[in-house]
Structure formats: C-alpha cells, structure tokens
Amino acid sequence: MNLIEVYIGEVTRRLPESNREDIALELRSTIEDMLPEDPSEEEVKSALNELGSPVQMANGFRDWPMHLIGPQYFELYMKIIKMVLPISLVVTFITFMTINVIDYNGAGTLGDVFFNLMGDAIGGLWNTTIQTLFWITLLFVILERTDININRELNGWSADELEKVTTAPKKKKVSKSELFADLLFAAVWATLYFNADNLLGIIRNGKVDVPFFNNDVLLSYWPLVSLTLLTAVLLALYKVIVGYWTKRLAIANAVHQVFTTTVIVIMLLNDQLIHPDLTNLLSLSETNQNMILAAIGLFFILSAVMDIVKGFWKAKL
C-alpha cells in the first residue's frame, strides 16, 4: 500500500474539489522533501506522523477561520448545519402555510393576502434560520469546551491507521438523501404531534372543527415522544460520524425502531386517543375504531421491521 498517496487522498477529500489537485501536488512535494531517495516504510510512517492527522492537515489548507468551532469538530459541525437547516426551513414553511390557509377567513384582496403571507413567511424562515444556527453552534461550543472527543481521528493518530483505510461498498454508505429523510421525518413527526389540534382534523369555516385526536390524551405522552425524537437525532448524528452501515449502526437503528414503534403502539392502545366528536361524526363503533387503530399500528410495525432488516442487510454487504 502506498501510504503517501493514501495520506494525500485522506487530506484532499476533505477539501473543495477546485483546490484538491494543487494541494495534492504541494503536499506530495513536501513529503518527498522529508524523505531520503529510497525510503523504507518506517521512514514514510515517521514523516507522516510528523505531519500529523489528515484532518488537521486539511483544516490547515482551508481558507476560512475556525476560532469558535475548532478543527476537532468543525467538519461535523458543517455537516450537521447543511442537513438540519434545510429541513428546519422546509418544515417551518409547510407548517406556516398550512396554519395560515386554515385560518384564512376570506377577508382582504388576494394581492394583500399574498404579500402579507409572504412577508410573514420570510420573517418566520429568518427566525428559524437564526434559531437553528444558534442552537447547533451552542451545542458544538459546549462540546469544544468540555473536551468531549467525538472525532477519534485526532487523538493519538498514527500513520499505521492508513493501512486500515478501506473503501466501503457504495450500497453500505449512508447517503445524504437517507439522512435528510430521517431528519425530515423527525421534524414532521414533532410538528404534527405538538400541533395536532391545529393541523389534524376535519376543517370547517377555515379551522379544524373536528380534531382527529383528543389533544390532552395525545400530549400526555410527550416525554416518550420527545425521547423518540431525541434518539432519532442521535441516530442521524451517529450515521454522520460512521458514514456507512456497520453492525453497531444496524443494532442502534434496530433499538431506535423498536423503541419508537413501542411508543406508537402504546399510544394507539389508549381507547381515549380518538376524539369523541370524530367518532360521533363518522358513526364509528368501538370495533371499527379498534380495527382502524390496529391497522395503523400494523403499518408502523411492518415499516419498522423493514427498516431493521434493511439496516442489517446493508451492514453485511
């Protein structure tokens, strides 16, 4: 194995594509100057150890400062922002538009309503952007100053680790679309759960007149639901760190799916969950209501089983 080329590859893959070729040439020249004419493997490793971790080296070639978030966390910090921010904006926009359409009472001209709506939407999206950036940045500032080591690549790095670098099969990799879907589902799930009385139900006269769920009963499960949302975010974070499906990731995914499905089933087993006004309106008997809830529960169970099987299948590729 050509450790020099592996090292250069580990550095340049973390940099913008437009700069990779020039930096690779510069780095290769620097390493060659540090070595004798016909270096041994131990001499190569010694030189690479002197240069340090590829992550630190790549951060040294970047053009932007990283004073608030140091090099240990900066790469992960940017990944989280790029994933979470678009999802937050999409969910905010959809929620905002849905609530305002439901609340619209027909007053005012179409032009006035449109411009007022767009103005409020822009303000809401801007507020979401600020809030998202603030809380993510605060989290990583705390990590930086509490010395919690997430990125093990910087701790005791050795050139010997380059021999362990392998290219995972494409099907094993955790795709950006998969991460986006996971976080989007968590965001939509949170939005619908905590705003069910305004979003889920039969609409009459511009508002939810007959809600689907008994809101007091639904919100009584908020500690469990909040915990499922937390585990979903932590699982997505773990996927970002690992980068591809492993047995540990498959097990973590299975635990999350089982826990989330269990919480959903517990909620569905509550015979007070469906709002009585909806039951009366649709003339649902207790048997029919139980059948509907059982079908919903079966759907979530089958979805969880399929996701668990998929995770272990990808881990074995």
Side-chain angles (χ1 to χ4, degrees):
M1 178 183 290
N2 190 330
L3 298 184
I4 295 176
E5 293 304 320
V6 175
Y7 181 90
I8 293 173
E10 286 293 288
V11 172
T12 55
R13 75 179 179 85
R14 294 176 164 85
L15 300 171
E17 291 186 7
S18 58
N19 299 334
R20 289 178 184 177
E21 187 174 347
D22 292 338
I23 291 174
L25 289 173
E26 179 182 344
L27 192 53
R28 190 176 292 109
S29 176
T30 300
I31 295 173
E32 289 174 355
D33 290 341
M34 298 172 65
L35 296 170
E37 189 167 331
D38 187 17
S40 65
E41 184 175 338
E42 290 302 317
E43 289 174 327
V44 171
K45 288 183 178 181
S46 178
L48 296 179
N49 283 330
E50 185 176 344
L51 289 175
S53 164
V55 177
Q56 291 176 310
M57 182 62 67
N59 288 333
F61 282 110
R62 287 192 173 107
D63 295 327
W64 57 85
M66 296 176 291
H67 304 296
L68 186 62
I69 309 296
Q72 183 175 1
Y73 300 102
F74 190 76
E75 185 177 7
L76 181 60
Y77 170 72
M78 292 303 299
K79 283 184 179 180
I80 297 297
I81 287 179
K82 289 177 182 178
M83 284 190 301
V84 174
L85 184 57
I87 294 172
S88 301
L89 294 177
V90 169
V91 172
T92 298
F93 183 76
I94 293 175
T95 304
F96 179 85
M97 295 299 291
T98 302
I99 293 176
N100 277 273
V101 168
I102 292 175
D103 291 342
Y104 178 59
N105 58 11
T109 64
L110 186 61
D112 291 339
V113 171
F114 174 78
F115 285 113
N116 289 334
L117 187 63
M118 291 307 297
D120 291 341
I122 292 172
L125 293 175
W126 174 252
N127 183 61
T128 297
T129 300
I130 297 300
Q131 290 286 336
T132 302
L133 293 177
F134 171 78
W135 288 111
I136 293 177
T137 302
L138 179 62
L139 171 63
F140 278 88
V141 168
I142 293 173
L143 289 175
E144 184 78 41
R145 282 148 182 80
T146 52
D147 198 29
I148 299 175
N149 296 317
I150 291 179
N151 197 339
R152 292 178 297 174
E153 206 170 344
L154 293 176
N155 304 318
W157 182 87
S158 169
D160 291 325
E161 295 183 22
L162 294 174
E163 296 177 345
K164 303 176 185 177
V165 175
T166 57
T167 302
K170 189 174 182 180
K171 291 182 179 180
K172 285 181 67 103
K173 291 184 177 179
V174 178
S175 65
K176 291 182 179 179
S177 60
E178 181 180 346
L179 289 168
F180 184 88
D182 289 346
L183 291 173
L184 180 60
F185 177 79
V188 171
W189 168 243
T191 301
L192 292 178
Y193 177 79
F194 289 106
N195 296 278
D197 55 339
N198 293 320
L199 298 176
L200 300 176
I202 296 175
I203 300 174
R204 291 175 179 172
N205 301 320
K207 64 178 182 178
V208 174
D209 186 53
V210 182
F212 289 160
F213 301 107
N214 187 328
N215 204 51
D216 292 336
V217 174
L218 186 67
L219 291 180
S220 67
Y221 294 99
W222 74 264
L224 289 174
V225 173
S226 298
L227 194 54
T228 64
L229 294 172
L230 177 61
T231 59
V233 173
L234 292 176
L235 180 63
L237 182 61
Y238 186 38
K239 287 181 178 180
V240 173
I241 296 172
V242 177
Y244 60 93
W245 282 91
T246 62
K247 186 177 180 180
R248 288 184 179 181
L249 177 56
I251 293 173
N253 178 65
V255 172
H256 166 68
Q257 292 295 336
V258 170
F259 176 64
T260 300
T261 306
T262 301
V263 172
I264 292 174
V265 170
I266 290 173
M267 294 169 63
L268 293 175
L269 288 174
N270 191 323
D271 57 4
Q272 302 297 318
L273 183 64
I274 303 297
H275 201 284
D277 290 348
L278 180 68
T279 302
N280 295 333
L281 179 66
L282 300 180
S283 300
L284 291 175
S285 65
E286 185 176 349
T287 301
N288 290 335
Q289 180 177 320
N290 290 337
M291 288 180 62
I292 292 173
L293 294 177
I296 296 173
L298 182 61
F299 169 78
F300 280 105
I301 291 173
L302 291 176
S303 299
V305 170
M306 291 174 61
D307 196 272
I308 291 171
V309 171
K310 182 187 72 173
F312 282 102
W313 174 73
K314 286 187 175 183
K316 290 181 179 179
L317 289 177

